Amino acid sequence: MSDLRTPLRRVRGLGSAKHGVMHFVHQRVSGAALVLLICWGFSQTPFLVLHGYDGAHVWLQSPVNAALASLLLAVGLYHGQLGVQVVIEDYIGKTGTRTVLLVLNAFVAFAFAAVGVVALLKTAFGGGAL
Amino acid sequence: MAESSRPTTERPLSPHLQVWRWHVTLAVSIAHRFAGIGLYLGLLLIAGWALAVADGPAAFDTYAGLLASPVGLAVLFLITLAAFFHMANGIRHLVWDLGFGFKPKTADFTALVVIAFAVLATIAFWFRMAAFGAFAHV
């Protein structure tokens, strides 16, 4: 007998951190927003594919398009970060590997969201086709 | 003493993957995760598009050329399929969160609806793209 503690004593402090609800709600609310943003995005795709570089510049002159495209990227990558976090937590048991992957997931998602939104705004504020 | 007073026999484990009967709800659940991971990649491609647009015509032509290649088009096709599928199944999840649709027959039916919607919407989307002349240069 190497451990004199009761089972209750051992599990104390190992339970829920009481913050899971936040993740749950954010995943669903961002998902609901993405239903609308994806439908809008798909409605715009044919125009963008057809008109290429100049078309994209004209398209981003509209503040509505610039704002919604930024939202699609930012909300989408936030939703993706939340989702991939769950996949990592489900399948990666080793604490070190899991922590590294969780941090990497956050870095990739938020870095691409920032770079993508700045690129969209640079085009939007930079005038028409160069 | 608390340790030894408890039975040390093997406790039953939750069912493993091997003992689940393959089922449409199971397949859709697994596909939801794969589609979600694929859409993460899709969003990185959109961020890349935004960068190419901001960078200039040369970068844009290179990027658009990559996406219009056979491999690029195959990736884009799979991403649209994943988007329609993940969106429809996400709505199914939201309905579950409201407390509806848990009866086995209902869950089976909505799973089939999600698959049918994803396939039909993807085909309709690409037909519309073709009608807009998106493949005129191919």
Side-chain angles (χ1 to χ4, degrees):
Chain A
M1 203 183 337
S2 58
D3 193 349
L4 290 167
R5 292 179 302 173
T6 64
L8 179 65
R9 183 67 215 148
R10 268 189 281 118
V11 300
R12 275 215 175 115
L14 294 175
S16 151
K18 306 288 193 293
H19 290 291
V21 175
M22 191 78 148
H23 185 285
F24 181 94
V25 171
H26 280 207
Q27 193 169 43
R28 270 125 194 105
V29 174
S30 59
L34 282 166
V35 172
L36 304 173
L37 289 167
I38 290 279
C39 287
W40 169 80
F42 275 150
S43 78
Q44 304 296 308
T45 322
F47 174 87
L48 288 169
V49 170
L50 191 56
H51 297 286
Y53 179 76
D54 292 342
H57 275 258
V58 171
W59 186 76
L60 279 168
Q61 295 313 297
S62 154
V64 174
N65 289 341
L68 289 178
S70 302
L71 275 177
L72 176 61
L73 258 183
V75 178
L77 282 165
Y78 179 54
H79 186 81
Q81 185 263 324
L82 292 173
V84 170
Q85 179 192 337
V86 175
V87 175
I88 294 169
E89 287 168 348
D90 278 356
Y91 296 118
I92 310 296
K94 281 178 75 180
T95 315
T97 315
R98 182 168 56 196
T99 306
V100 168
L101 287 175
L102 287 174
V103 171
L104 198 66
N105 174 38
F107 278 14
V108 169
F110 291 121
F112 271 85
V115 167
V117 168
V118 169
L120 287 172
L121 295 182
K122 180 174 181 276
T123 311
F125 294 142
L130 301 168
Chain B
M1 291 307 283
E3 192 76 14
S4 55
S5 66
R6 288 175 67 80
T8 53
T9 49
E10 288 286 307
R11 303 292 300 162
L13 298 166
S14 58
H16 283 297
L17 200 59
Q18 306 92 284
V19 303
W20 284 103
R21 182 167 50 90
W22 191 255
H23 204 76
V24 66
T25 47
L26 169 68
V28 165
S29 174
I30 293 171
H32 191 70
R33 281 212 160 168
F34 279 104
I37 293 167
L39 289 170
Y40 197 107
L41 173 72
L43 284 162
L44 299 188
L45 288 179
I46 294 179
W49 173 83
L51 268 179
V53 169
D55 195 63
F60 184 88
D61 284 346
T62 307
Y63 197 74
L66 282 175
L67 291 183
S69 69
V71 175
L73 283 174
V75 169
L76 290 178
F77 182 85
L78 288 175
I79 285 173
T80 52
L81 180 64
F84 284 121
F85 176 82
H86 197 86
M87 179 169 72
N89 201 47
I91 293 170
R92 182 164 166 256
H93 267 281
L94 289 175
V95 173
W96 280 339
D97 292 337
L98 296 172
F100 304 105
F102 286 113
K103 281 188 184 141
K105 277 194 174 164
T106 314
D108 287 353
F109 177 70
T110 52
L112 292 170
V113 168
V114 163
I115 295 170
F117 170 80
V119 171
L120 293 176
T122 306
I123 292 170
F125 176 84
W126 285 91
F127 263 107
R128 183 156 175 263
M129 293 282 278
F132 267 82
F135 305 115
H137 64 286
V138 178

